[in-house]
DNA sequence: CATATTAATGAATACATATTCATTTGATTC
DNA sequence: GAATCAAATGAATATGTATTCATTAATATG
């Protein structure tokens, strides 16, 4: 459907550029394959997912996958990078639409939960990915992951500057803890299969509440 | 060194039972192999770790591993189960030595961080494992994982009963969030390679502080 | 519509590694 | 110290799957 390059969706500036027929065709194939791979990776995990599974899911032959992606790894990374870029784009966009640090932070939490809930295949992939990274001590991570973290930290600093957060705490440490809370919340969100339409806003309220005020009895 | 069965270390009751020579020999081999496997799995991850790697690390031949473990999976699970049992044992022991729900909870957090920091090979394995579980929706998990969770939840309920935690929050939800915080803290603890002897007590203080009182400016 | 160009196919190949098992080595008993 | 039993070895086997590439199909071009 979408005939623009992915980058145009995730870069803040610049007008999306229309691509020529050939590029458009290529992009469509890549998208097909990425969608299929997302699903299969999430279902089976990186190692148990075979290229044949992915090709079958995308309704292409095995070899076709290799016309569009270098190898299995690079297909995997394409998914991760594309999605994180999109999330970062959404975060910047939505937090830009509200004023005040507290509101921005709240928006970021809401949009993160919303994103991962919708893209839960990807969330499962990401959890795997994070652990791969940890295990290999591949500290470089991808620049884009670093970007997202930096962005959240900057929001925390703003909130601190506004006087809503104690100044004796390290923004970096606060961020780690906040990410821990968000991840835990998504897990519990995804586990509750019954109540699908779970009240996200309510949940964000609870998180902000816990985060800002703790669990102490009032 | 240790000539007792593992169970004796992780079961609360019963006097450790001395084993006969043959059993003892067998247990020593298993221990050797588990130690080696722990290391290799943590370094390379489950899939890239080969049985040959593990055998080499343990200074045995490839086939020897199969005399003591059914297959690669069962070796892997042995590690996870053994360690979680030990952690649960420690948690029960140490929290039993203090009084008051708040103090118990604080002790549990401290001991968890301490355990994972010391056993960081295992922490890395566990993170992988958790994600495997999540992805496969293998909800059964192992009984022992469930036990640990139940134990933490019981501490939270006690703290709630003592009036230190708001009663409108679900213990289960609080636990998820607390586990998220702990996990995030360990990550950040392990990343800071420089300051090894990081002040654990200080960190637990911060966590309890954030958890009970939030990050709000006083 | 003949030719050239590009895309797609999937069977064949290459490779990695879990697992087996015939053989060797070491320990125990009488 | 010969005979028996147990433990350890590691080369050989089995399996699974990533990747290639000769072939076929589809599309564009003059």
């Amino acid at each position: 459907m979408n005939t623009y390059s992915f980058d145009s969706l995730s870069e803040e500036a610049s007008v999306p550029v229309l691509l020529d027929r050939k590029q458009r065709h290529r992009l469509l194939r890549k998208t097909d394959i990425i969608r299929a791979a997302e699903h299969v990776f999430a279902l089976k995990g990186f190692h148990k997912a075979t290229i044949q599974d992915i090709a079958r899911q995308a309704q292409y032959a095995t070899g076709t996958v290799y016309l569009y992606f270098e190898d299995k790894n690079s297909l995997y990374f394409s998914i991760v990078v594309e999605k994180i870029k999109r999330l970062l784009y959404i975060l910047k966009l939505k937090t830009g639409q509200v004023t005040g640090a507290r509101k921005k932070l709240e928006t970021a939490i809401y949009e993160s939960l919303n994103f991962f809930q919708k893209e839960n295949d990807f969330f499962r992939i990401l959890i795997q990915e994070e652990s791969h990274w940890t295990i290999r001590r591949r500290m470089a991570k991808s620049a884009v992951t670093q970007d997202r973290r930096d962005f959240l930290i900057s929001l925390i600093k703003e909130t601190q500057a506004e006087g809503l957060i104690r100044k004796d705490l390290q923004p970096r440490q606060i961020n780690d803890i906040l990410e821990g809370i968000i991840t835990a919340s998504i897990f519990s969100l995804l586990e509750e299969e019954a109540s699908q339409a779970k009240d996200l806003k309510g949940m964000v309220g609870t998180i902000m509440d816990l985060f800002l005020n703790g669990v102490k009895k009032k």
Side-chain angles (χ1 to χ4, degrees), chain A:
Chain A
M1 297 295 120
N2 179 10
T3 61
Y4 301 108
S5 104
F6 284 132
D7 274 339
S8 66
L9 266 176
S10 47
E11 292 306 324
E12 41 286 72
S14 83
V15 181
V17 177
L18 221 26
L19 304 168
D20 70 23
R21 192 175 47 71
K22 212 155 155 191
Q23 286 178 297
R24 204 157 64 223
H25 177 261
R26 214 180 146 68
L27 188 58
L28 282 174
R29 289 310 123 106
K30 283 189 104 163
T31 311
D32 281 352
I33 294 167
I34 283 185
R35 292 290 159 269
E38 235 175 278
H39 184 73
V40 177
F41 279 139
L43 202 68
K44 300 193 159 191
F46 180 78
H47 290 280
K48 294 217 165 163
T50 70
I51 296 291
Q52 296 198 356
D53 286 338
I54 292 166
R56 196 177 316 121
Q57 175 79 25
Q59 294 181 291
Y60 290 109
T62 318
T64 310
V65 173
Y66 286 87
L67 295 177
Y68 298 97
F69 296 91
E70 187 91 4
D71 57 16
K72 196 181 172 185
N73 279 320
S74 110
L75 172 55
Y76 188 73
F77 274 96
S78 297
I79 295 174
V80 175
V81 170
E82 186 216 313
K83 292 281 170 172
I84 295 186
K85 271 193 180 176
R86 205 189 300 272
L87 172 59
L88 181 59
Y89 170 73
I90 290 173
L91 290 182
K92 285 185 177 171
L93 183 71
K94 297 288 181 163
T95 56
Q97 291 168 356
V98 297
T99 53
R102 194 210 144 112
K103 200 81 192 131
K104 280 182 198 291
L105 195 56
E106 205 172 306
T107 304
I109 294 173
Y110 175 81
E111 294 299 337
S112 298
L113 290 180
N114 193 28
F115 182 84
F116 285 122
Q117 193 189 31
K118 279 190 188 143
E119 309 260 8
N120 61 79
D121 273 1
F122 171 63
F123 175 71
R124 295 195 168 86
I125 288 173
L126 189 66
I127 291 296
Q128 279 187 96
E129 180 53 17
E130 293 280 359
S131 61
H132 284 181
W133 270 329
T134 306
I135 283 145
R136 296 157 158 241
R137 294 174 172 272
R138 193 213 272 227
M139 293 309 292
K141 288 196 175 181
S142 112
V144 80
T145 299
Q146 204 53 48
D147 286 350
R148 186 175 71 103
R149 181 188 235 195
D150 289 346
F151 178 70
L152 289 175
I153 289 178
S154 75
L155 284 187
I156 288 168
K157 283 182 182 156
E158 276 182 51
T159 315
Q160 223 168 15
E162 255 194 11
L164 282 167
I165 292 180
R166 289 156 46 188
K167 298 222 165 95
D168 59 314
L169 299 172
Q170 293 279 324
R172 156 83 198 278
Q173 193 180 7
I174 295 177
N175 179 61
D176 284 346
I177 286 173
L178 189 56
E179 293 230 41
I181 294 177
I182 291 175
T183 305
S185 303
I186 295 163
F187 270 119
S188 92
L189 215 64
L190 292 180
E191 270 180 26
E192 322 224 342
E193 326 221 15
S195 57
Q196 291 120 333
K198 186 113 196 221
D199 179 24
L200 257 193
K201 298 219 184 224
M203 182 158 234
V204 176
T206 308
I207 292 176
M208 280 302 279
D209 186 24
L210 282 178
F211 184 61
L212 287 178
N213 301 313
V215 294
K216 191 186 231 165
K217 194 175 178 185
K218 298 215 160 145

